[in-house]
Amino acid sequence: MQYIDNIIFLILLVAGFGLFAKSLMKIYRNIRLGHEINRNDRKGERWSTMARVAMGQSKMTARPVAGVLHLFVYVGFVIINIELIEIVVDGIFGTHRFLSGIFGHTFYNFFTATLEVLALLVVIGVVIFFIRRNFYGVKRLTMKELFGWPKNDANWILIIEFALMAAFFMMNASDFILQSRGVFPEHGSFPISEMTLVPFLEIFNFDSGFLMFTEKGAWWFHFVGILFFMNYLYYSKHLHIILAFPSTWYANLNKKGKFNNLDSVTKEIKLMMDPNADPYAAPAEGAEADVPSKFGAEDIFDLNQVQLLNAYSCTECGRCTSVCPANITGKKLSPRLILMKTRDRLEEVGRNIDKNGKFVDDGKKLLNDYITKEELWACTTCNACTEACPVLLDPLSIIFEMRRFLVMEQSAAPQELNLMMTNVENNAAPWQYNQADRLNWASEN
């Protein structure tokens, strides 16, 4: 029975990481429902972009206060969880502060003191974020699209992070007192716990047995909390903690506003403009493969894999929506909501596959059932949303592909756009006048 704690720990560890791996595989499967896109060029630039934007948080500085606070939480939480290595070894083998023997007394003291300072910064960050989100009234964080689960999800993450840091401090404070009493050997330096929780615990003069129970309880809470947090990510917008890295690596590196052309359409136009081409010639062998089965996107299957990755990576911060001129002027378009709805539809399709073993037509589409035509045509294609995104997501590309479907598959463009395209076709200009009159503007009266 003396190894029961170690066995329980190992079972929880394997189960936690196993469930997490299962969730990642499900996300990977869902992303692969989109069609492939080649984003493996310019590798050096992609690595640099990922390091600068995802790891370095470079785009967060556009809003300095939020950027600094996010850096506190991000860096602090990531580095603190290096301690998970020590927790895993201690949990499996029953040791206590394993890394102290590896690092040595001086460096381990520096290591634990640094973790305490970072943990304090995390607490400060999450508390201010909670106040900003719930009481300060930041417009982009209080919009209707965040009512319900999105708001609750953001709050739960902040609460979980606060609870994990509180358990971390309680574990260290109890450990400090036990070390001072000679129950544990002296390992580590805990400046924040010593200034805050240690005086509180000493007021009540708890005996060593209770403090050992408190230390172990906080240790277990911190460990189980990390496993819970890790598996909660699948259901949360905070999945961007992981997916921001591939999203920035696979980001579109072309100039903003440069849209993709369909090869099949380009070839058709070149054929029409070639005076020596035979329009009745049989297509070359394999040419049919170049013709897409559908122009544009009606559902998530018509989007590419990077666009679906973007949907999972959205932080729901609303920076894109806050700079969207269509949204600012009261129209229904919200770039953030475009990504959120795409993710919702993707998850619905994933559940359909889980239930049936393959996708069974459910009579729904991303277009109309999730994203309306009114939202799509409200977009000015100004690229403000893609420029503002802190992790280089591209909601505009989804809007553009769905517009392409409306125009090329359904001929469902607004009347004004249909008129313009008719004029281009007939007059080689968007205005409604005869081609013979095109140069009249230059005539002297």
Side-chain angles (χ1 to χ4, degrees):
M1 294 296 290
Q2 61 175 327
Y3 298 112
I4 188 65
D5 287 354
N6 309 79
I7 295 172
I8 293 174
F9 179 92
L10 189 58
I11 291 173
L12 290 175
L13 183 68
V14 172
F17 277 90
L19 289 173
F20 181 61
K22 182 179 179 181
S23 296
L24 290 182
M25 290 302 296
K26 186 178 293 187
I27 292 169
Y28 179 70
R29 179 205 65 189
N30 290 350
I31 290 174
R32 285 179 60 82
L33 295 174
H35 59 80
E36 293 185 6
I37 179 172
N38 185 5
R39 288 277 177 85
N40 292 311
D41 59 330
R42 300 152 70 177
K43 287 185 171 60
E45 188 176 351
R46 293 190 180 281
W47 284 113
S48 174
T49 300
M50 185 181 73
R52 186 180 71 256
V53 178
M55 185 172 294
Q57 309 277 292
S58 62
K59 298 204 70 176
M60 293 297 295
T61 56
R63 299 173 188 260
V65 174
V68 170
L69 292 173
H70 190 274
L71 193 64
F72 285 173
V73 176
Y74 168 73
V75 174
F77 197 76
V78 169
I79 294 179
I80 286 167
N81 282 318
I82 294 176
E83 193 191 26
L84 187 62
I85 298 171
E86 184 174 62
I87 289 176
V88 168
V89 175
D90 288 347
I92 293 175
F93 298 103
T95 53
H96 183 72
R97 296 196 174 272
F98 160 78
L99 289 179
S100 62
I102 303 296
F103 290 165
H105 181 75
T106 302
F107 185 74
Y108 189 73
N109 284 355
F110 171 78
F111 172 70
T112 53
T114 301
L115 294 186
E116 287 243 320
V117 172
L118 291 173
L120 178 62
L121 294 178
V122 172
V123 169
I124 292 172
V126 298
V127 168
I128 295 177
F129 277 142
F130 189 87
I131 294 172
R132 288 177 77 248
R133 184 171 289 273
N134 294 280
F135 304 108
Y136 188 65
V138 179
K139 183 178 178 181
R140 64 188 172 90
L141 301 178
T142 57
M143 298 177 71
K144 184 178 179 180
E145 63 204 54
L146 292 185
F147 288 1
W149 170 249
K151 181 177 180 179
N152 293 337
D153 168 46
N155 284 334
W156 274 118
I157 284 290
L158 295 175
I159 292 170
I160 292 170
E161 289 178 340
F162 181 88
L164 289 174
M165 296 304 102
F168 176 73
F169 284 129
M170 182 59 72
M171 176 182 71
N172 288 345
S174 302
D175 204 344
F176 176 84
I177 297 175
L178 290 169
Q179 289 183 29
S180 66
R181 295 180 182 179
V183 177
F184 289 149
E186 293 188 10
H187 294 307
S189 175
F190 316 111
I192 308 302
S193 299
E194 189 176 348
M195 288 188 297
T196 55
L197 291 179
V198 168
F200 171 78
L201 293 174
E202 288 183 333
I203 288 174
F204 296 95
N205 195 28
F206 293 119
D207 61 42
S208 297
F210 179 82
L211 289 175
M212 289 185 68
F213 174 81
T214 303
E215 190 271 343
K216 203 63 177 176
W219 184 90
W220 275 101
F221 183 90
H222 189 75
F223 167 67
V224 175
I226 290 172
L227 294 182
F228 175 81
F229 177 87
M230 184 172 64
N231 282 281
Y232 177 75
L233 290 180
Y234 173 78
Y235 307 95
S236 170
K237 67 162 187 151
H238 289 77
L239 196 58
H240 74 267
I241 294 172
I242 300 170
L243 296 186
F245 291 89
S247 286
T248 50
W249 202 90
Y250 286 112
N252 185 2
L253 299 181
N254 292 324
K255 292 182 179 180
K256 297 289 189 297
K258 182 179 180 181
F259 293 119
N260 65 310
N261 292 318
L262 296 178
D263 290 339
S264 56
V265 175
T266 301
K267 290 177 182 178
E268 185 71 19
I269 293 174
K270 287 181 177 179
L271 180 66
M272 293 169 60
M273 297 178 67
D274 184 358
N276 300 316
D278 181 3
Y280 301 104
E285 185 179 352
E288 289 297 326
D290 295 334
V291 180
S293 59
K294 184 184 294 183
F295 294 105
E298 182 185 22
D299 207 351
I300 57 102
F301 304 101
D302 308 316
L303 297 172
N304 66 54
Q305 293 173 3
V306 173
Q307 290 167 326
L308 299 185
L309 172 63
N310 282 185
Y312 272 123
S313 305
C314 179
T315 71
E316 298 179 14
C317 66
R319 293 189 181 207
C320 54
T321 295
S322 69
V323 298
C324 174
N327 188 274
I328 292 171
T329 55
K331 296 179 177 62
K332 288 187 176 181
L333 174 64
S334 168
R336 167 174 58 188
L337 199 54
I338 294 294
L339 290 172
M340 292 170 66
K341 288 178 176 179
T342 302
R343 181 179 62 209
D344 289 344
R345 173 57 179 163
L346 186 54
E347 276 294 291
E348 182 179 51
V349 170
R351 290 191 295 271
N352 183 309
I353 295 173
D354 290 338
K355 179 181 178 181
N356 301 297
K358 62 179 182 178
F359 178 70
V360 176
D361 188 7
D362 57 1
K364 295 182 181 180
K365 303 290 184 183
L366 180 62
L367 179 62
N368 294 325
D369 291 303
Y370 283 83
I371 299 174
T372 65
K373 297 176 184 177
E374 183 179 356
E375 293 173 90
L376 296 175
W377 291 117
C379 178
T380 67
T381 66
C382 67
N383 276 287
C385 57
T386 59
E387 183 64 37
C389 181
V391 288
L392 305 182
L393 307 186
D394 190 5
L396 177 58
S397 67
I398 297 176
I399 294 172
F400 182 77
E401 288 299 329
M402 297 183 76
R403 277 183 172 185
R404 192 189 328 243
F405 175 83
L406 288 172
V407 173
M408 299 186 71
E409 292 283 347
Q410 295 188 340
S411 300
Q415 181 59 32
E416 297 84 355
L417 187 56
N418 282 328
L419 179 62
M420 183 273 292
M421 289 188 291
T422 300
N423 290 334
V424 170
E425 182 180 0
N426 296 330
N427 307 324
W431 302 281
Q432 192 171 7
Y433 53 67
N434 192 286
Q435 291 193 47
D437 299 328
R438 291 185 64 184
L439 296 179
N440 287 352
W441 66 272
S443 301
E444 294 183 5
N445 296 323

